[in-house]
Amino acid sequence: MRIPQFRSVALAAVIALPALGVAGCAQNRAKGDTPYIARDVGTLYLTAKKRLDDRRYKEAAVLFDEVERQHPYSVWARRAQLMSAFSYYLNRDYTESIQSSQRFLSVHPGNRDAAYAYYLIALGYYEQVGDVTRDQKITRQALDALGELTRRYPGTRYAADARLKIDLVNDHLAGKEMEIGRFYETRGQWLAATLRFRRVIEQYEQTTHTPEALMRLTETYLALGTPLEAQKSAAVLGANYPGTQWYERAYKLMQDHPAQPLPAVPPGTAIVPEGTAGARPSLPGEAGQTPNAEAPGNPTPVAPSGGTTGTGTPTTETPTT
């Protein structure tokens, strides 16, 4: 009786082994592993292309990767790498698309399709550009990738599209600077706001945010007590964007707070009083002076005498004695 019992246990164990193997394969597939099934390159590529035509982009990308994995030295492998990156892009797996394109460039840097690989990298970053309220690291990466494409392949159709996207990315970065500048302005941090608005004028002058930046500069310069600088900003705004609402606001501000020109010094007036040239001014308490408890008044700024020559060099006049 013991021998049949032992045989039944052994038979049960033999039957259980295939079941464990099937369970293990199912578990691996659940984790996303692709089973290795050897197929010829033509069958793999055509199957992947059919998945792409059927808009099953994820499956197409996996099959294109299989072409590279099973036939790495075939002429189809190079094409499959780009098709995999394109399939990931259509599936909005932008990180995977960028990595596939970068892998293609690392292996085939001089390939005739390298421009397209750079284009896919730039598109992968460009599609991830977020709202101006968020961090703009991806936006700068998109700008770098688009610039790299236009520098390496300026005459391609991909570069033509990249130039249009560069303008949009710059406008986005300018919008971020404007948002930060307006935030500082609402908190009364006029100098910090001025620096942000000036950055828009200096680095992103071709964007749509330039008129508002000039108007905001007019506001902050007036708040800082420099009406002449505010007048310059308003003048530039009026010369370049005369019909905008921003110029109307800047014009009204300058009408309410006109810049007062400094009085001119009459010709022949001595700038330095006679007999005081080179002398050190006496301090309170020296030479029998009594210290004054009152705060000294602010000195009145005086414009230098004389005009300017035709070459722009200031002329000087000798003080009459």
Side-chain angles (χ1 to χ4, degrees):
M1 296 295 293
R2 294 181 180 178
I3 295 176
Q5 184 178 5
F6 175 77
R7 288 179 178 177
S8 63
V9 173
L11 182 60
V14 171
I15 295 174
L17 286 176
L20 290 175
V22 172
C25 293
Q27 185 177 5
N28 290 336
R29 291 183 184 180
K31 292 180 179 179
D33 294 342
T34 302
Y36 184 89
I37 302 176
R39 284 169 285 185
D40 63 280
V41 63
T43 302
L44 268 176
Y45 193 91
L46 291 177
T47 305
K49 181 65 168 57
K50 188 177 186 308
R51 295 290 191 277
L52 183 63
D53 295 338
D54 294 339
R55 298 185 179 182
R56 297 161 66 176
Y57 303 127
K58 181 67 175 180
E59 297 178 16
V62 172
L63 288 173
F64 281 125
D65 288 338
E66 277 297 297
V67 174
E68 180 189 358
R69 182 171 71 160
Q70 295 189 20
H71 307 278
Y73 303 108
S74 66
V75 293
W76 294 94
R78 293 195 300 269
R79 186 67 178 172
Q81 282 182 325
L82 281 180
M83 294 300 292
S84 172
F86 179 62
S87 301
Y88 280 124
Y89 170 77
L90 293 179
N91 199 51
R92 297 183 180 180
D93 294 335
Y94 301 121
T95 302
E96 294 288 342
S97 176
I98 292 171
Q99 291 176 353
S100 296
S101 301
Q102 290 174 341
R103 187 170 63 252
F104 174 85
L105 291 174
S106 64
V107 180
H108 313 288
N111 190 271
R112 64 179 183 179
D113 293 323
Y116 184 66
Y118 278 105
Y119 183 60
L120 283 177
I121 293 173
L123 286 180
Y125 286 122
Y126 180 80
E127 295 293 343
Q128 297 182 76
V129 172
D131 189 74
V132 293
T133 59
R134 300 178 178 272
D135 182 71
Q136 298 302 303
K137 179 182 178 180
I138 292 292
T139 309
R140 295 185 181 89
Q141 288 176 322
L143 183 62
D144 293 340
L146 292 167
E148 184 74 10
L149 173 60
T150 56
R151 284 191 297 271
R152 288 179 177 270
Y153 305 96
T156 61
R157 57 177 180 172
Y158 309 121
D161 184 60
R163 293 187 188 96
L164 297 176
K165 287 180 169 54
I166 286 175
D167 293 338
L168 296 175
V169 170
N170 280 327
D171 196 86
H172 202 82
L173 292 174
K176 180 65 176 181
E177 296 294 332
M178 291 298 300
E179 187 207 15
I180 298 175
R182 287 191 292 265
F183 171 76
Y184 284 137
E185 190 176 12
T186 56
R187 293 172 62 91
Q189 299 177 359
W190 310 114
L191 183 57
T194 300
L195 294 177
R196 293 291 179 169
F197 297 140
R198 286 189 59 178
R199 185 176 299 175
V200 174
I201 302 302
E202 295 169 358
Q203 298 183 10
Y204 308 105
E205 61 178 349
Q206 300 298 327
T207 64
T208 59
H209 298 278
T210 302
E212 183 185 358
L214 287 168
M215 192 281 298
R216 299 292 179 185
L217 277 177
T218 304
E219 291 179 339
T220 56
Y221 280 137
L222 287 174
L224 288 171
T226 55
L228 292 178
E229 294 296 327
Q231 188 178 40
K232 291 179 184 178
S233 298
V236 173
L237 179 57
N240 293 276
Y241 309 96
T244 60
Q245 60 170 335
W246 305 115
Y247 176 64
E248 294 178 1
R249 293 177 58 176
Y251 181 80
K252 186 177 184 304
L253 281 173
M254 294 311 302
Q255 290 294 316
D256 296 339
H257 306 85
Q260 300 295 332
L262 298 177
V265 179
T269 303
I271 302 300
V272 181
E274 185 177 355
T276 61
R280 182 178 67 84
S282 300
L283 297 177
E286 293 183 351
Q289 296 184 6
T290 303
N292 190 359
E294 297 180 357
N298 294 326
T300 303
V302 180
S305 63
T308 58
T309 63
T311 60
T313 304
T315 60
T316 58
E317 296 183 5
T318 305
T320 56
T321 57

